[in-house]
Amino acid sequence: SYELTQPPSVSVSPGQTARITCSGDALPKQYGHWYQQKPGQAPVLLLYKDSERPSGIPERFSGSTSGTTVTLTISGVQAEDEADYYCQSADSSGTYVVFGGGTKLTVL
Amino acid sequence: QITLKESGPTLVKPTQTLTLTCTFSGFSLSTSGVGVGWIRQPPGKALEWLALIYWNDGKRYSPSLKSRLTIPNDSSKNQVVLTMTNMDPVDTATYYCVHNYYSSSWGDYFDYWGQGTLVTVSS
């Protein structure tokens, strides 16, 4: 079955830039989407179509894509950004939804 | 304002069938491009997509769980039901209902989520 691969954890100091990658063979064909989940809460859509921000999402969250990898970049990380981040996409046929394994962002 | 809320049992026994209901407001499942989906998350683990139903009555299921999942045809105008048969303790998870805006151009993504409901499978 198709998988999206994320690093289990990323650590960054406040004010620095955090980058979280998501790799998958179908990503050149399919968009990647990102979700933020804080403890005890439902996930929130952070970015869609690789880099589009829903209303209300701060500009410090941005996305990019290159080949088989999509990347979530958080510029000027704040303590409140400490959370789990999940990428989501589809298999090459676009039939099945797939989530990455999640990345825990720790703000040092 | 789009809202979704999951309801159903909090405890089921192994081998039983789980029936969850998603009650939503603020949108119509008859609107082109709209879908409602189910996603689950075992405690401390990652999100897992389960199923989707679309405005055109199309349905998709996770290939690994397809034989156990059903979204019945008789869901009401503002409710979507999910059934999962032969429940096992590994199915213990928080189950989320989500609003989906689909296009063949960008696929599926989930812009509104319910609060989730924790289902425990135990005898």
Side-chain angles (χ1 to χ4, degrees):
Chain A
S1 62
Y2 180 57
E3 294 183 350
L4 295 173
T5 301
Q6 298 180 234
S9 62
V10 169
S11 299
V12 65
S13 299
Q16 299 301 304
T17 296
R19 293 181 179 84
I20 299 174
T21 59
C22 172
S23 299
D25 289 341
L27 287 173
K29 288 186 59 178
Q30 304 294 340
Y31 282 106
H33 319 288
W34 290 94
Y35 302 86
Q36 178 193 64
Q37 186 180 32
K38 295 183 178 180
Q41 297 182 18
V44 171
L45 179 66
L46 204 58
L47 297 172
Y48 62 99
K49 291 197 290 180
D50 293 339
S51 60
E52 300 287 328
R53 274 190 313 275
S55 62
I57 300 300
E59 290 184 5
R60 65 178 183 274
F61 294 95
S62 63
S64 61
T65 181
S66 178
T68 58
T69 299
V70 292
T71 301
L72 166 67
T73 300
I74 311 172
S75 304
V77 167
Q78 302 180 4
E80 67 195 50
D81 299 331
E82 188 162 282
D84 293 326
Y85 292 84
Y86 293 92
C87 64
Q88 175 248 311
S89 186
D91 68 321
S92 58
S93 70
T95 303
Y96 303 116
V97 172
V98 181
F99 283 95
T103 298
K104 182 176 181 57
L105 176 68
T106 300
V107 182
L108 300 170
Chain B
Q1 178 191 3
I2 290 176
T3 64
L4 307 103
K5 188 170 185 179
E6 308 85 354
S7 59
T10 57
L11 179 66
V12 298
K13 290 180 166 50
T15 75
Q16 286 187 336
T17 294
L18 171 68
T19 299
L20 293 173
T21 301
C22 173
T23 302
F24 58 85
S25 63
F27 68 94
S28 171
L29 196 43
S30 301
T31 301
S32 180
V34 171
V36 172
W38 290 93
I39 293 162
R40 72 177 179 179
Q41 184 174 38
K45 296 190 176 181
L47 300 169
E48 179 183 19
W49 170 69
L50 299 178
L52 276 162
I53 182 169
Y54 296 93
W55 78 100
N56 58 3
D57 289 331
K59 300 171 189 176
R60 296 182 188 173
Y61 299 101
S62 165
S64 62
L65 293 167
K66 184 175 183 178
S67 63
R68 300 173 53 205
L69 295 172
T70 302
I71 296 179
N73 287 329
D74 58 352
S75 295
S76 69
K77 280 173 51 175
N78 70 332
Q79 289 187 330
V80 171
V81 172
L82 178 75
T83 66
M84 179 181 292
T85 61
N86 195 24
M87 293 292 284
D88 182 272
V90 300
D91 297 313
T92 294
T94 296
Y95 287 76
Y96 293 101
C97 173
V98 293
H99 172 272
N100 175 40
Y101 193 56
Y102 169 82
S103 161
S104 59
S105 298
W106 60 73
D108 301 281
Y109 63 86
F110 311 113
D111 50 358
Y112 295 90
W113 294 62
Q115 65 189 23
T117 185
L118 176 61
V119 178
T120 301
V121 184
S122 174
S123 55

